[in-house]
Amino acid sequence: MIKYAQQYLRSAVAVIAQYDGVLPLSAFLKQYFKANPKFGSKDRKNISHLCYTFFRAGNGVNTSSVEEKIKASVFICETNADDWGLLVDEQWRNNWNADIEAKWRFVASVFPGSDPANLFPWNQELSSGIDAVPFAVSHLVQPDLFLRIRPERSRKVFEKLSAAKIPFRQVSGNCLALPNASKIDEVLNIDTEVVIQDLSSQRVGDVLKLCIDDSKLTKTVWDCCAASGGKSILAFDLIKNIQLTVSDVRASILRNLQDRFERAGIKNYHSFVADLAGELKVPPTSYRIVICDAPCSGSGTWGRTPEQLHFFTKDKIDSYSALQKKITTNVIPYIEENGYFLYITCSVFKKENEEIVSHLLESKKLELVRSELLKGYEEKADSMFVALFRRSNA
Ligand SMILES: C[S@@+](CC[C@H](N)C(=O)[O-])C[C@H]1O[C@@H](n2cnc3c(N)ncnc32)[C@H](O)[C@@H]1O
């Protein structure tokens, strides 16, 4: 068992008391430990672990004591008492190996009203097709790390992973799942050989493939909210004869994209900074495919950032939805006749998903080809939404 478990618990309570959710928890912890150099690397790891565990499970435990919430969260999230058993008394340790439902019943017997359904507080807002309880419970576990092997790189990647004895699971042809702490950047050339890309993001590629025909004609593609280019690299790998344009409201992220593209071997592309929610000063071109991986709540990715389960506020859903309506309305005129519009979010909220689809169909300029909720929560991955439209020639 972890010898200093009680000291780690006290430190975690102190961290949580100071954390206000403004920075991501990972960035806050980095700052905190820099300001408190007495903590060694083992201490940092264990205190961080307790904080993350609190944010994963704490909403389900009905007590106002942060300390009790941490202990109950560790009891729920850890499969056995080997590491953290010293935190609790014998009665808890005796129940530690029970199945997860029995563990929740035990927690509820100590803290009446505790319920895993409360882990995710915005069930009423969920897109249809999401099963509220399994989705809520999925936040108890950190999602896997997923890699997409780039074309022609498979043999080398498998050789390198085997030589380094890094365990992995092949989810499909080019998609690998690895434990989160895997040190892959010491072994693989990131962006050149593999892209770090969540399983659901990779599956967006299956929908993108519906836009691709066999013709040798150049395909113009505009990734209009490109960030550092995850979807652009995916499009580049899938579409032959691509002519790529990327934009984002943030110049800084496009500089990251530039570095990434260099590693990915993408040389000929056009890039510009644009606020697509404002008055558009975008070059008057039309594109065969416009990809809009919209700014969103990110609610499908909170298994990686569980602090959001405590700090997100419902009003933000409406602001994201309004922003998404503005951006999508503004970019529709840039789609060629019979061209495609690929709308993507990493959100599980209907106002950011189905409601945007309805809004776009009201314009009468687009027909829906396919929409799909990518339920990554069933596979230790992010959950996303994707809708493909075709621009009608009316
Ligand atoms: C979900 S991220 C895109 C992720 C990216 N496609 C990828 O796969 O890595 C959304 C991006 O939209 C950008 N964005 C936010 N508001 C915007 C606006 N008004 N106009 C253009 N881009 C915007 C953000 O800066 C952010 O980089």
Side-chain angles (χ1 to χ4, degrees):
M1 284 195 221
I2 291 175
K3 200 167 148 199
Y4 300 110
Q6 291 292 345
Q7 279 99 315
Y8 294 143
L9 174 65
R10 281 195 289 279
S11 301
V13 171
V15 171
I16 290 164
Q18 285 185 39
Y19 180 55
D20 60 7
V22 172
L23 287 177
L25 180 61
S26 59
F28 178 83
L29 286 167
K30 224 181 214 170
Q31 263 187 12
Y32 183 89
F33 290 130
K34 202 168 171 199
N36 293 277
K38 65 176 178 184
F39 295 114
S41 71
K42 213 177 188 178
D43 307 330
R44 294 198 295 267
K45 186 172 155 244
N46 284 313
I47 296 164
S48 302
H49 180 71
L50 291 182
C51 293
Y52 271 98
T53 305
F54 165 84
F55 285 117
R56 286 191 188 289
N59 280 341
V61 184
N62 193 27
T63 165
S64 57
S65 156
V66 170
E67 185 175 322
E68 296 303 331
K69 270 187 193 257
I70 297 177
K71 291 200 267 186
S73 299
V74 171
F75 169 81
I76 288 290
C77 292
E78 302 286 322
T79 44
N80 58 55
D82 290 358
D83 289 338
W84 294 101
L86 279 181
L87 284 184
V88 292
D89 64 25
E90 208 183 334
Q91 202 198 355
W92 285 72
R93 279 196 294 277
N94 289 342
N95 281 279
W96 207 305
N97 290 328
D99 64 40
I100 189 76
E101 282 87 14
K103 282 172 104 174
W104 275 110
R105 279 197 298 279
F106 177 73
V107 172
S109 72
V110 181
F111 304 113
S114 297
D115 187 343
N118 297 334
L119 292 171
F120 186 86
W122 304 279
N123 288 341
Q124 301 303 319
E125 304 291 326
L126 288 175
S127 278
S128 59
I130 295 205
D131 205 344
V133 173
F135 175 67
V137 168
S138 73
H139 293 90
L140 296 175
V141 178
Q142 186 181 13
D144 277 334
L145 172 72
F146 291 92
L147 301 179
R148 181 172 64 79
I149 305 176
R150 300 209 49 222
E152 321 290 331
R153 301 286 183 161
S154 287
R155 197 174 52 82
K156 199 83 204 151
V157 167
F158 286 123
E159 274 173 17
K160 284 184 170 185
L161 288 174
S162 305
K165 298 196 167 42
I166 294 182
F168 64 86
R169 176 170 60 88
Q170 190 169 8
V171 180
S172 62
N174 291 327
C175 178
L176 308 182
L178 291 85
N180 245 282
S182 308
K183 297 254 182 297
I184 45 141
D185 48 348
E186 291 168 5
V187 175
L188 299 171
N189 294 316
I190 308 300
D191 296 326
T192 311
E193 293 173 322
V194 293
V195 177
I196 298 172
Q197 187 161 49
D198 182 73
L199 173 64
S200 297
S201 268
Q202 296 191 38
R203 288 193 174 145
V204 165
D206 297 335
V207 182
L208 184 58
K209 280 182 196 156
L210 300 174
C211 315
I212 310 171
D213 56 31
D214 292 336
S215 83
K216 300 224 161 26
L217 292 176
T218 300
K219 312 265 187 322
T220 51
V221 175
W222 176 24
D223 185 1
C224 71
C225 295
S228 60
K231 304 297 179 306
S232 293
I233 302 175
L234 180 68
F236 179 85
D237 287 346
L238 290 176
I239 305 177
K240 288 197 185 78
N241 309 317
I242 188 171
Q243 190 183 313
L244 188 58
T245 298
V246 294
S247 67
D248 199 282
V249 72
R250 293 180 291 161
S252 59
I253 200 86
L254 289 177
R255 284 193 287 278
N256 294 351
L257 173 144
Q258 194 180 353
D259 295 343
R260 232 179 143 191
F261 273 20
E262 219 170 287
R263 291 192 293 274
I266 304 176
K267 295 190 183 84
N268 300 318
Y269 64 98
H270 178 57
S271 164
F272 61 91
V273 176
D275 178 358
L276 301 178
E279 200 186 317
L280 249 60
K281 296 184 196 101
V282 177
T285 323
S286 60
Y287 301 88
R288 180 72 183 156
I289 302 169
V290 174
I291 300 172
C292 178
D293 188 0
C296 72
S297 61
S299 49
T301 68
W302 292 346
R304 298 180 198 280
T305 52
E307 65 272 23
Q308 292 288 343
L309 297 169
H310 296 244
F311 288 102
F312 185 79
T313 51
K314 197 176 150 211
D315 54 299
K316 290 185 193 151
I317 304 176
D318 286 328
S319 4
Y320 279 117
S321 183
L323 177 63
Q324 288 149 358
K325 283 178 189 163
K326 265 193 204 149
I327 292 179
T328 52
T329 304
N330 276 344
V331 299
I332 290 174
Y334 292 85
I335 308 164
E336 265 179 27
E337 271 186 18
N338 289 317
Y340 291 95
F341 182 59
L342 186 64
Y343 176 74
I344 308 162
T345 70
C346 50
S347 169
V348 289
F349 295 137
K350 53 180 173 266
K351 283 187 179 159
E352 301 184 88
N353 298 338
E354 294 97 313
E355 196 173 300
I356 303 300
V357 170
S358 306
H359 170 77
L360 288 171
L361 293 177
E362 272 166 26
S363 76
K364 306 261 185 264
K365 293 188 180 111
L366 298 175
E367 288 157 17
L368 184 64
V369 177
R370 175 158 158 190
S371 73
E372 196 177 337
L373 198 65
L374 301 164
K375 298 202 268 179
Y377 67 89
E378 291 173 341
E379 294 176 84
K380 284 183 84 182
D382 294 340
S383 295
M384 297 182 73
F385 177 80
V386 56
L388 178 67
F389 300 85
R390 188 143 203 194
R391 174 130 196 217
S392 38
N393 44 16

